[in-house]
Amino acid sequence: MLRNGLEPWHLLILAVVVVVLFGSRRLPDTARSLGKSLRVLKSEAKAMKEETGKDAPAATAPDA
């Protein structure tokens, strides 16, 4: 029933709704702040991954 849930015309309608809601003047600022937020999120996730890798012992096979 929903094989192709997100088709190109869905994206077009979504883009029109976003432009109508936010206006063309605010879109660049919104996209910029979203990009900054994603960069911060990515760097924090990477830092957490590295931190948990250092704290936890290396995953090795149990001694037989």
Side-chain angles (χ1 to χ4, degrees), residues 25-39:
R25 291 183 181 168
R26 290 190 58 197
L27 283 179
D29 294 333
T30 304
R32 191 175 301 114
S33 64
L34 180 64
K36 286 181 183 178
S37 299
L38 288 176
R39 267 186 251 122

Side-chain angles (χ1 to χ4, degrees), residues 2-3 5 8 10 12 15 21-22 27 33 35-36 39 41 44 51 53 61-62 64:
L2 290 174
R3 282 187 191 164
H10 289 122
L12 180 65
L21 286 177
F22 293 108
L27 283 179
S33 64
K36 286 181 183 178
R39 267 186 251 122
L41 179 66
E44 290 295 326
E51 182 178 303

